C-alpha cells in the first residue's frame, strides 16, 4: 500500500509540474512582426516576391530598415508594381537586401555616430545618429522594434542602392 501511495504521489507531482511548466510564447521574428502590421504590407509583399522570407525568418541576427507603405507610395508611379514582376526579381532582391545589415544594431549604439555600414546586399548605407537617426536620406521614425532574430527600425523612405 505504501508503495502505491508513493507512486501515486510521484505521479501527481509530475502532472502538477508538467501542467505548471507551460512553454512561454516565443518572441516573433522580424518577418512575423512586419507581417502583423498593416503599415508594412507592401514590404511584406516584396519580401515574398523576392523569396526572402525564409532567410529573414532564419537564425541570423539582422537589423532591418523597414520602409512603410507610405514610403513605397512615394516612389514614382508604377515602380512597386514593376519591381514585383518575376522578371525584376534580381533588382527587387538587391533593393530589399540593401535594407538589411547583418547583426543587431540598436539606436543607442548609433547615437552620436556617423558611419558607413555594409548591407547584406554588399553596398554601404550612411548612418547618421547625431540628430535622431537617418539612413542615407531616410529618417528612422520608430526605432528598436525587437524580434527574436534581430531588430527593426521603421524608415520613411525606400533605400535605393546606387
Amino acid at each position: 500500500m505504501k508503495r502505491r501511495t508513493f507512486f501515486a504521489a510521484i505521479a501527481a507531482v509530475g502532472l502538477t509540474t508538467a501542467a505548471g511548466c507551460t512553454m512561454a510564447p516565443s518572441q516573433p521574428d522580424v518577418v512575423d512582426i512586419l507581417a502583423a502590421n498593416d503599415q508594412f504590407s507592401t514590404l511584406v509583399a516584396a519580401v515574398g516576391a523576392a523569396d526572402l522570407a525564409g532567410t529573414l525568418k532564419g537564425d541570423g541576427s539582422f537589423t532591418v530598415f523597414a520602409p512603410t507603405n507610405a514610403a513605397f507610395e512615394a516612389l514614382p508611379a508604377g515602380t512597386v508594381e514593376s519591381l514585383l514582376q518575376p522578371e525584376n526579381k534580381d533588382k527587387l532582391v538587391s533593393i530589399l537586401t540593401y535594407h538589411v545589415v547583418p547583426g543587431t544594431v540598436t539606436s543607442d549604439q548609433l547615437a552620436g555616430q556617423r558611419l558607413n555600414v555594409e548591407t547584406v546586399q554588399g553596398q554601404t548605407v550612411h548612418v547618421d545618429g547625431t540628430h535622431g537617426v537617418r539612413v542615407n536620406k531616410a529618417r528612422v521614425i520608430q526605432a528598436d522594434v525587437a524580434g527574436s532574430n534581430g531588430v527593426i527600425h521603421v524608415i520613411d523612405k525606400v533605400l535605393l542602392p546606387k
Side-chain angles (χ1 to χ4, degrees):
M1 186 78 159
K2 287 183 183 177
R3 190 172 178 181
R4 280 190 214 163
T5 306
F6 174 74
F7 286 118
I10 294 295
V13 169
L15 290 175
T16 304
T17 304
C21 289
T22 57
M23 296 288 289
S26 63
Q27 188 176 22
D29 59 50
V30 294
V31 174
D32 291 339
I33 291 169
L34 294 170
N37 190 322
D38 289 342
Q39 74 173 332
F40 300 113
S41 60
T42 305
L43 177 58
V44 170
V47 167
D51 291 326
L52 291 174
T55 301
L56 291 174
K57 289 178 88 45
D59 291 337
S61 182
F62 307 104
T63 298
V64 179
F65 297 108
T68 63
N69 291 344
F72 280 101
E73 290 166 8
L75 292 172
T79 301
V80 173
E81 294 78 10
S82 175
L83 288 170
L84 294 177
Q85 297 299 316
E87 61 270 17
N88 294 324
K89 182 179 174 182
D90 290 343
K91 186 173 185 178
L92 181 61
V93 167
S94 178
I95 291 169
L96 293 175
T97 56
Y98 189 62
H99 287 79
V100 181
V101 173
T104 299
V105 183
T106 57
S107 61
D108 62 327
Q109 294 171 306
L110 300 172
Q113 307 258 350
R114 286 186 183 168
L115 28 118
N116 291 315
V117 181
E118 187 170 350
T119 67
V120 171
Q121 184 257 9
Q123 293 183 28
T124 60
V125 290
H126 179 70
V127 178
D128 184 346
T130 57
H131 300 291
V133 178
R134 291 181 97 56
V135 182
N136 291 353
K137 294 184 181 193
R139 187 173 53 91
V140 173
I141 55 177
Q142 182 181 358
D144 303 328
V145 180
S148 63
N149 63 346
V151 64
I152 299 167
H153 300 296
V154 181
I155 57 175
D156 65 352
K157 290 184 175 34
V158 176
L159 305 175
L160 298 172
K162 298 174 182 160

